[in-house]
Amino acid sequence: MKLLRQFLVIIAISFLGEVLHEFLPLPVPASIYGLVLMLVFLMTGTLRLESVRDAGKFLIEIMPVMFIPAGVGLVTAWGELQSVLVPVLVITVVSTVAVMAVSGRVTQSVIRHDKKRRNEVTKQ
């Protein structure tokens, strides 16, 4: 029952993202609105992490299964994909490296900021 309640919380926040997507005239996907809302709710304490932790862990564990439909789509579209394979591969590699670099830099920055904050707290 606890897991079901946590899924319902995640689904409700995702639904709010869909609503925002419908009403705001910005070219932002509804899933991004939902993620931002989840972040805001968690950061402000409106939503406690314990309220979604188990469902979130479960979703992360089954994430590889979610790539199966995309893989099947690539296989079924192979005929159309062959003619543009090189540009698609270049775009994929470049965007993957860019995302990894930016994610690494942001993570390093957050860790440094957290260490600095902890050192300041321990000095007081």
Side-chain angles (χ1 to χ4, degrees):
M1 194 65 172
K2 176 178 147 184
L3 200 58
L4 179 62
R5 186 176 26 229
Q6 291 182 7
F7 275 119
L8 288 175
V9 169
I10 292 171
I11 289 171
I13 292 172
S14 296
F15 178 72
L16 288 175
E18 293 286 341
V19 170
L20 282 176
H21 178 70
E22 284 297 316
F23 289 108
L24 294 178
L26 300 172
V28 178
S31 58
I32 301 301
Y33 285 125
L35 287 171
V36 170
L37 284 173
M38 179 70 81
L39 177 66
V40 168
F41 291 156
L42 289 170
M43 296 287 285
T44 61
T46 305
L47 178 66
R48 294 181 48 210
L49 182 59
E50 292 77 26
S51 301
V52 293
R53 176 178 277 146
D54 295 331
K57 283 182 180 180
F58 174 76
L59 290 171
I60 289 172
E61 288 174 3
I62 66 165
M63 189 183 296
V65 175
M66 303 301 176
F67 288 100
I68 292 173
V72 171
L74 285 174
V75 170
T76 58
W78 181 250
E80 295 87 29
L81 189 60
Q82 276 182 321
S83 62
V84 292
L85 188 60
V86 173
V88 168
L89 286 175
V90 169
I91 291 168
T92 301
V93 169
V94 169
S95 63
T96 299
V97 170
V99 167
M100 289 172 64
V102 170
S103 297
R105 289 297 204 174
V106 169
T107 301
Q108 288 175 344
S109 175
V110 168
I111 290 171
R112 268 191 240 112
H113 178 71
D114 188 49
K115 283 182 181 178
K116 184 188 278 187
R117 187 182 55 80
R118 287 184 187 191
N119 287 338
E120 290 173 1
V121 169
T122 57
K123 288 180 183 177
Q124 294 175 355

